[in-house]
Amino acid sequence: MNVFKQLFKSLYSPKDIASYRNQGIGKTILYVFLLSLISVLPSVFYMNGALKEAVQMASESLNELPEFTIENGQLHSEAKEPLTIQEGSFSIIFDPTGAMDSSTVSEMGDGIALLKNEIVLSAGGGINTAAYSMLGNEPISKQDLSELLASSHSALPIIISLLAGTVFLVNSALKFIEVSVLALFGLLLKNILARPLQYRHVWRMAAYSVTLPTLFFTVMDLLKTPVPYGFVLNWTIALIVLLLAIQEIPQKDKPSLA
């Protein structure tokens, strides 16, 4: 059975999830990467649109900002307080004072912010930051940034690809951690239910048990719909699915060596 059929069956069939416990570990790892890829699609989609809009808006609005330089990893300007330029639903924030941080920017919706020590892109509820120190030691002026933005349109596909790759790798690491922790809870459940399972079997089942909450929250992210108590809901659904899958295993079933 291919991974896409497994994905579909994992949405509703604990019995099928239980049957995956003896498959090769490589296929299960591939499945976790597939779930990670699916879960980052909304973030990448909104990040792509926001980054393109940010470059366009920044190019048009840069003249409205005070003179500044970026030097030694910090933003320097004579401005004494933060400045916000609002264009529709998109915001450009300029704050050389250090009064704002990335969490403050995220509360303001989609936008780009030049903060004291970093540049921040907020898109689709996600935050991406880049420290000025990554730009090197050479001072960058407002004019330099204007010229950089003018030439950045051709480099956007590369930039977006790099950001998307980074988001995917981070999300994959978190997904593997989630599956591994869920499998530890699964060991407790299998002991309570007296099912003859080893950690490797439970880990495989845990990987498929997170399918339903992963796809649910992916759809919610795509619709930009916040889910109250999302963390608790995610773990509750995954644990219930794993519990139902463990119950599908006969108590006298001998675990395979595969």
Side-chain angles (χ1 to χ4, degrees), residues 55-77:
V55 171
Q56 182 65 32
M57 292 295 302
S59 298
E60 297 174 356
S61 304
L62 193 60
N63 291 333
E64 300 181 38
L65 299 180
E67 292 295 328
F68 64 85
T69 58
I70 298 173
E71 188 174 7
N72 297 324
Q74 290 190 331
L75 176 65
H76 300 279
S77 174

Side-chain angles (χ1 to χ4, degrees), residues 30-257:
L30 174 63
Y31 186 82
V32 176
F33 277 120
L34 174 63
L35 286 182
S36 300
L37 177 62
I38 292 173
S39 66
V40 302
L41 290 180
S43 297
V44 172
F45 173 77
Y46 287 118
M47 181 177 65
N48 175 60
L51 188 57
K52 290 180 178 179
E53 186 177 5
V55 171
Q56 182 65 32
M57 292 295 302
S59 298
E60 297 174 356
S61 304
L62 193 60
N63 291 333
E64 300 181 38
L65 299 180
E67 292 295 328
F68 64 85
T69 58
I70 298 173
E71 188 174 7
N72 297 324
Q74 290 190 331
L75 176 65
H76 300 279
S77 174
E78 294 183 357
K80 303 302 181 183
E81 59 184 22
L83 171 67
T84 299
I85 300 174
Q86 191 74 35
E87 295 288 346
S89 61
F90 196 86
S91 302
I92 296 178
I93 299 169
F94 180 80
D95 177 27
T97 67
M100 305 179 73
D101 57 24
S102 57
S103 62
T104 309
V105 176
S106 66
E107 296 172 358
M108 302 184 70
D110 292 348
I112 188 170
L114 295 173
L115 304 183
K116 181 67 176 178
N117 300 302
E118 61 188 354
I119 184 169
V120 180
L121 174 67
S122 175
I127 289 290
N128 294 278
T129 64
Y132 295 131
S133 56
M134 297 173 60
L135 300 177
N137 297 322
E138 292 294 323
I140 299 176
S141 66
K142 176 180 175 179
Q143 180 61 31
D144 294 331
L145 185 58
S146 178
E147 294 174 357
L148 178 63
L149 288 172
S151 61
S152 65
H153 291 278
S154 60
L156 272 180
I158 298 175
I159 296 172
I160 292 171
S161 297
L162 290 174
L163 288 174
T166 301
V167 171
F168 171 68
L169 290 176
V170 171
N171 189 270
S172 295
L174 293 175
K175 186 62 68 176
F176 275 101
I177 293 173
E178 178 186 356
V179 170
S180 299
V181 173
L182 181 62
L184 291 176
F185 284 106
L187 286 179
L188 177 61
L189 293 175
K190 72 96 177 176
N191 288 333
I192 294 174
L193 297 173
R195 295 310 197 264
L197 294 168
Q198 298 177 18
Y199 179 76
R200 61 197 176 103
H201 301 120
V202 180
W203 194 92
R204 291 175 173 92
M205 294 167 65
Y208 292 92
S209 297
V210 300
T211 302
L212 181 58
T214 296
L215 293 189
F216 170 75
F217 283 102
T218 298
V219 172
M220 292 299 100
D221 288 342
L222 189 61
L223 298 175
K224 290 188 175 182
T225 303
V227 179
Y229 307 106
F231 178 83
V232 175
L233 184 61
N234 175 75
W235 281 95
T236 300
I237 296 174
L239 280 169
I240 291 174
V241 174
L242 181 57
L243 172 62
L244 294 174
I246 292 174
Q247 287 180 323
E248 291 291 335
I249 299 173
Q251 290 187 343
K252 294 183 179 181
D253 186 23
K254 299 295 184 182
S256 170
L257 297 178

